[in-house]
Each structure stands twice: as C-alpha cells, then as structure tokens.
Amino acid sequence: MTTTTTDHARPVRLPRRSRQGVVLGLDPWQIGFVAVAALVLLIGVNGFGPAGILYAAPIYLPLGLVAVTTVRGVSAPRMLGLWLSKQLRHSAGATTHAYRPERVQLEGTLNLPGTRASVQIWDVDGLACAYNPHDRSVSVTAELEVQGFLMKDAPDRHDLAQQWAQVLATFTQRVGVKRVTLQERTTPTTIRAGREHFETSAHRAGIDDDADVTTNYRQVMDASERFAVAHRNYLTLTFDLVALGPQVRALGGGKSAIQALAHVEANNIADALRSARITVRRWLTPRDIASLARTAFDPEFLSTVQNRDAENTGVALNAIGPMYLEEPRGKNGVVITDSGIHTTMWVHEWPRSDAAVGFISPLVFARHPVTGEAVTHIFSIVLTPVPVNKALKRIREEKKVWRGNERLRAKRGADGSAADEADWLALEKQEDELVAGHGEFRYGAYLTVTAPDENTLEQSIAGARNALSRAGMEAQILYCQQAEALLVNALPLGLGMK
C-alpha cells in the first residue's frame, strides 16, 4: 500500500495484482495442460505422420480448450484439480466432521477438524498463546480500538493511517514475524446493557411498570434489538520459532521459553500500537479465543455467550470447535456447521484508483438487501512480511516475465494492452518504494458470510457483494475449499491459507 500527502481525502492506492502469469498470463496448471496437449500431438505425428494430427485431435483439442478456459474467475485446470480433490475427500469421508464427546481425546489436542486439532493454546498470565507444532509458530491476539475513527476529519484519519503504516513497516524489518492478521467481525448482539439501564432508571424515577411510557419504550427496544450489531477488530501476530531460535534458547528453551517470548512480544506490540494511538482493549484469553471460534460455528449460541457475567465470560477450550461440520456433496460454495451455513470468498480485486482511508467501511456496515439487517461476517486481511532482498528479487523476476511476454507478443504481431502497461508501472513503483525504505507485504483478504439457512445466505452474499462494489473491491467464492477457508477465518489464530 502506498500513500501520498497531496490529497488527504483519497490518499490510498493499493498495488495492482499482476496478471502476467508464468507465460502469457497462463498459470502453472494451464501450462501443464498445454504441455500435455502438445505432447499428445507430437506422439500422434511421430506415430502416424500427418494423419496423426487427426487421430490425436480428440485428446489434444479438449486439453487445449480446457487450458485456456476459466470457470468463475479460476482457470479450468485449477478448478478441475480442486473439484477432484473434493471428490477424493468425499470418498474418504473427510468432508464431514462430527464431535463425539465420549471418544478418548489425546491430551493437548482441540476439537477441530484435520491437523488444526494439534494446535495448543496456553494461558500465559491471562494471554492466549497459540502454538502450532506443524510450522513451529506461536500466535497472540489482541482486540483493538480506535475511538471514532470514521468520524474524524480526513487529515486526522490520514495521520492515523500513516502511523499505523509505520507500525506495519517495522514488522518487515524484524526477524521472526511470520504473519500479521487483521480481522473485523460483525455479529448480531443484544441490547442487554440498554435494557438494564432502562430498568434501573425507571426504578429510580419511580415509574410504574404498567405505565404507557414504560410499555411503549419496551416495545421500541424489542423491535430494535434485531438491528443491534457488534463490530470488533482484532490483530493477530504469528512468530516463526525457527527464526527466533536463538532467543528461545536464550530464555531456556522448551514450552516455558516460548511462553515467555510470546509475553515479551505482546508487550512490545502494545507499546508500538500505543505510539500509533491505537488502543489495545484487551489481550484475548484462551476462553476468548474459544468463544470467537464457537460462536462463528454456532451463531445461535452467541446470545448465550454475550449474556454471561464477568466471572463466566468466554467458552471452555474443549468446546472451541464445531459439533458438526460438512461440505455437502454437489454444493461446492458452502459449508454447514452447527446452526449456520457459511460461504468464504477471496478478495481478488482492490480499488484501482485512489481511495479514502477506511474505504472498506461499506463492507463493515453491509446490510441485507431485503430486510436491512446487518450481514453477519468475518473479514480478515492476512499480511506476510517480505524481506527487502526477496522483494527486490521478486520484482526482477516479474520484470523478466513481463519482458518475455512482450517479446512473444511482438513475434506474433500483437500489441500490448493497457493492463500490461499497468503491470509494468506497478513493478516500477514497487521497486522505487523499496529503494526508498518502505517494507513489503504479501497480502490476501478473506470474507466469510454466515446465515441460518441457504436462502438467507444468498441474500447476505448479495448484500456483501453490493458493499464490496461500493468499496471498489471484488471477491470470488473459494469453491471446493470452503471448510479450510472457514477454519482460517473462524479461528483467530493467524493460520492463513496455503
């Protein structure tokens, strides 16, 4: 992301996602199909002479056509691979997960499908420390707050964004920061606090419970409760324990050293955020982590969690996962859990022109197009820091691909397009920014929309797409990958998708 100081109203421009591919915009899956088609043609010609072109046509022509076809924004070969993978999982019974309370559970594992069951969540002085043994990483999560951000003037918002950008830039310069995940959750909530305040105030004022004003006010609260929503923002930092090995060994090694390191890093992050005028409302505890995951899988359980008192807040870790999860056969764009049905999308297009700070606000406040109720969703931006030397190497390689594509187009007598020119200018700008001292992140964004049934889900997705279009963004459904995508978004553990 880059910013300018000339226009505080619209200072943000995100780098363009390159469409050059490996060769002429083709991805590796497409190149593989083209190579197989060419091999079949070559074998046919060598075996049967010129007539082999006709004999082999039923094989190489379909392969070639599939190679250049896209399905819902994804290349057909890649979509075919995802579909076959899902069919294999169906055959192996791996698309359904049901929790059995009586089953013996290994110590240190969680009620989660697949390899995520081995993630361990430790309590370090009230801080949830999530250890992933598969990639040797540890994550901590904070709930953030910036009072009245969208109500501030454009210069003030721009200043806050600049300070936040400086905090992000430091992550690219520190060894061991593996992933930074920013998450916004919009969920229905209760107006319990408002009801309690009204009852207390009415009692103090001596207003009769049967009075017309009391009855009318309660009716207004009852009618408005379905429009009550909660917006929460979270920051998850994931640290690479392999890169931080010397520090772990200096702290004595083992589990206690990892916990101590997580606690130290959490304090460092809090200090950095405080300097950027971003408040850490709280560090999530293990019960908070379990609560966020549990209510994502079981939305009807949300009111029960929200109405608990301070002593019983959150959810026990053994209830973190879904009681039931299924990727239904024949429906590749949804996943079903306890009391919800979900669709997760990947944001593949960002604003192409200068945008305002806070340009995703239409998505945050997205509404159902029919009822006007808030769209229940989880929106995550996953940032992976890239060292400067690797970023410069990537730019050199992409420039080499761009020049190669230009030469191939010139040989065919085809002119380059405005999109090709934009790709080159984006690479030039990224290189200039790196030389000037800025950091680079590889980023991806995922949006999970949740509803109680399929009809409501379709309407909610429509509302989310409307909001995305107003923000200058576009998303596509992660077909045949819905279970994995839901787990990445529902669990505030900074897992990320491969």
Side-chain angles (χ1 to χ4, degrees):
M1 184 181 74
T2 61
T3 59
T4 63
T5 57
T6 55
D7 185 3
H8 287 164
R10 308 182 72 82
V12 180
R13 174 172 292 181
L14 294 163
R16 174 184 172 84
R17 189 167 64 92
S18 174
R19 298 182 181 273
Q20 296 299 310
V22 178
V23 176
L24 293 177
L26 301 178
D27 64 26
W29 292 77
Q30 293 172 299
I31 292 175
F33 267 60
V34 170
V36 173
L39 181 62
V40 170
L41 178 59
L42 181 62
I43 293 173
V45 172
N46 287 338
F48 302 97
I53 297 177
L54 295 177
Y55 297 154
I59 300 177
Y60 71 78
L61 282 180
L63 287 171
L65 289 175
V66 170
V68 297
T69 303
T70 59
V71 179
R72 293 167 174 168
V74 181
S75 67
R78 176 174 173 79
M79 181 64 79
L80 178 61
L82 293 172
W83 182 83
L84 289 175
S85 173
K86 187 184 178 188
Q87 300 315 305
L88 290 174
R89 287 187 284 118
H90 274 304
S91 301
T95 55
T96 300
H97 168 81
Y99 179 61
R100 307 296 184 191
E102 301 87 0
R103 182 181 300 168
V104 177
Q105 188 170 350
L106 295 176
E107 184 179 359
T109 61
L110 299 175
N111 169 31
L112 293 172
T115 59
R116 290 169 180 82
S118 59
V119 173
Q120 301 176 33
I121 300 180
W122 305 322
D123 190 341
V124 185
D125 297 331
L127 168 70
C129 175
Y131 171 67
N132 187 349
H134 295 286
D135 62 359
R136 291 280 296 163
S137 65
V138 65
S139 302
V140 292
T141 302
E143 182 180 351
L144 304 183
E145 181 180 27
V146 180
Q147 289 287 352
F149 177 78
L150 293 176
M151 293 184 289
K152 296 182 182 295
D153 295 333
D156 293 334
R157 280 187 287 171
H158 179 266
D159 182 54
L160 282 171
Q162 289 285 68
Q163 295 185 53
W164 171 238
Q166 292 176 7
V167 174
L168 287 178
T170 61
F171 296 147
T172 65
Q173 300 165 4
R174 293 180 55 189
V175 175
V177 178
K178 185 171 187 174
R179 198 178 297 117
V180 181
T181 305
L182 308 172
Q183 190 172 90
E184 182 271 328
R185 293 183 178 228
T186 295
T187 57
T189 188
T190 65
I191 56 173
R192 175 186 173 187
R195 291 182 185 276
E196 291 178 349
H197 177 73
F198 169 72
E199 297 296 340
T200 302
S201 299
H203 179 73
R204 288 178 179 174
I207 301 176
D208 189 0
D209 285 348
D210 297 327
D212 290 341
V213 63
T214 304
T215 302
N216 291 339
Y217 198 85
R218 285 173 177 159
Q219 290 175 349
V220 169
M221 287 192 294
D222 291 340
S224 63
E225 184 154 22
R226 70 188 182 96
F227 295 100
V229 293
H231 304 283
R232 295 287 184 265
N233 300 297
Y234 302 94
L235 169 68
T236 301
L237 267 89
T238 303
F239 300 97
D240 188 348
L241 295 177
V242 176
L244 295 174
Q247 296 185 38
V248 174
R249 288 191 292 271
L251 291 170
K255 178 179 176 179
S256 60
I258 296 174
Q259 293 176 338
L261 178 65
H263 200 274
V264 170
E265 293 293 346
N267 291 331
N268 293 336
I269 296 164
D271 292 338
L273 293 173
R274 195 177 302 112
S275 65
R277 290 188 289 170
I278 298 173
T279 303
V280 175
R281 176 181 288 179
R282 59 183 176 135
W283 289 99
L284 299 192
T285 66
R287 289 185 65 88
D288 294 330
I289 295 285
S291 173
L292 290 177
R294 186 78 192 93
T295 53
F297 298 128
D298 188 3
E300 290 185 1
F301 189 58
L302 187 62
S303 58
T304 302
V305 175
Q306 291 175 339
N307 288 325
R308 287 177 174 172
D309 54 34
E311 293 183 0
N312 298 308
T313 184
V315 173
L317 270 180
N318 58 8
I320 188 173
M323 298 294 105
Y324 181 79
L325 181 146
E326 179 189 4
E327 292 180 275
R329 189 184 293 271
K331 297 179 180 180
N332 299 321
V334 300
V335 60
I336 300 170
T337 59
D338 302 345
S339 63
I341 181 169
H342 320 263
T343 289
T344 301
M345 297 177 278
W346 167 58
V347 178
H348 64 92
E349 287 289 349
W350 296 82
R352 299 183 182 182
S353 58
D354 292 346
V357 174
F359 65 87
I360 66 169
S361 57
L363 177 60
V364 175
F365 301 107
R367 292 281 173 178
H368 192 288
V370 177
T371 65
E373 297 179 7
V375 173
T376 301
H377 67 266
I378 304 172
F379 180 63
S380 299
I381 301 177
V382 181
L383 307 171
T384 303
V386 180
V388 174
N389 58 339
K390 290 186 178 180
L392 290 172
K393 181 180 179 181
R394 175 193 62 81
I395 291 174
R396 287 194 299 269
E397 291 176 350
E398 291 192 10
K399 281 186 173 182
K400 188 183 299 182
V401 171
W402 190 92
R403 293 191 186 99
N405 290 341
E406 280 294 294
R407 286 192 293 269
L408 290 174
R409 281 189 286 265
K411 288 181 180 179
R412 294 184 303 161
D415 295 329
S417 64
D420 295 325
E421 184 66 22
D423 285 343
W424 178 263
L425 294 176
L427 290 173
E428 289 281 339
K429 187 165 187 177
Q430 291 173 36
E431 189 173 28
D432 291 340
E433 290 171 350
L434 288 171
V435 173
H438 292 276
E440 178 177 333
F441 286 93
R442 289 195 305 269
Y443 62 93
Y446 306 96
L447 173 65
T448 297
V449 179
T450 299
D453 55 67
E454 283 195 59
N455 292 332
T456 307
L457 179 64
E458 290 178 1
Q459 295 295 326
S460 298
I461 291 174
R465 288 194 184 278
N466 291 338
L468 286 167
S469 64
R470 292 198 303 273
M473 303 157 68
E474 186 177 338
Q476 72 182 53
I477 295 174
L478 290 167
Y479 291 100
C480 303
Q481 306 171 76
Q482 286 296 306
E484 180 186 4
L486 174 64
L487 290 172
V488 166
N489 247 10
L491 300 171
L493 303 177
L495 297 176
M497 286 190 69
K498 293 182 179 179

